[in-house]
Amino acid sequence: STSGMLGSGTYFADMASKADQYAGKYGAPEDTTVGETASMFLARVALGCPYLTQTSLEQMRRPPSLKGHFDPNLLWETVKHGKPWLEKNLSMQICEKARFDSVMSDRQIDEKAKLYHEYAVYAKQCYPEFCVTYTRIASNSSRDSA
């Protein structure tokens, strides 16, 4: 899917708690996941030279060029989150220059604070090394109040 915050890349995080948000089943916010078994991969990822963004880059299929040029075909893509591509104030032009190797989100995207950095790679730059399976338990604060 190209509708992710950084486009159609393969996503990674440097904090297991971010990966945990995507592990296991999805449900309503009030549904508890205590006792649920979930899995995530611990992977080696070659980020190379990442492009740091403070803007959502939905629909992107490859990183921008090292000159900061984005593919102009993005201007016609429909965006569900964030500003349309025309309003992002990014350089849109056909460019055959070398490209960044990956994209890294800053801690503020589209003027909204984020708790984590997210990383996306668009080629064969990752190797899942371990599959970690775990059972979610209640936090100390929720156990103390029960």
Side-chain angles (χ1 to χ4, degrees):
S1 170
T2 59
S3 63
M5 180 177 69
L6 302 176
S8 67
T10 304
Y11 287 67
F12 298 92
D14 51 10
M15 303 291 287
S17 52
K18 179 62 182 176
D20 180 61
Q21 292 177 341
Y22 295 95
K25 65 182 178 187
Y26 292 102
E30 65 273 4
D31 291 347
T32 182
T33 59
V34 172
E36 178 185 348
T37 299
S39 298
M40 69 175 75
F41 287 109
L42 177 64
R44 292 181 187 258
V45 183
L47 294 175
C49 181
Y51 174 81
L52 178 64
T53 185
Q54 293 183 335
T55 304
S56 59
L57 302 172
E58 187 179 347
Q59 304 297 332
M60 192 170 70
R61 297 179 192 280
R62 62 182 183 166
S65 75
L66 293 174
K67 298 284 186 185
H69 302 141
F70 288 80
D71 295 329
N73 63 319
L74 292 167
L75 293 171
W76 292 275
E77 295 288 346
T78 303
V79 176
K80 294 179 186 174
H81 310 287
K83 296 178 183 177
W85 279 93
L86 271 173
E87 299 174 19
K88 292 182 188 284
N89 295 321
L90 297 170
S91 175
M92 309 297 280
Q93 68 182 56
I94 296 172
C95 179
E96 293 303 320
K97 301 283 186 202
R99 296 193 167 271
F100 284 95
D101 300 304
S102 59
V103 175
M104 173 183 167
S105 69
D106 206 345
R107 297 285 299 276
Q108 188 169 26
I109 297 291
D110 298 332
E111 301 174 8
K112 294 178 187 168
K114 299 288 183 183
L115 295 175
Y116 307 96
H117 291 286
E118 291 186 48
Y119 307 86
V121 296
Y122 303 85
K124 297 176 183 178
Q125 299 164 242
C126 55
Y127 177 80
E129 193 158 11
F130 298 100
C131 180
V132 179
T133 301
Y134 55 98
T135 302
R136 293 187 174 126
I137 60 171
S139 67
N140 287 335
S141 61
S142 63
R143 279 187 265 166
D144 294 341
S145 63

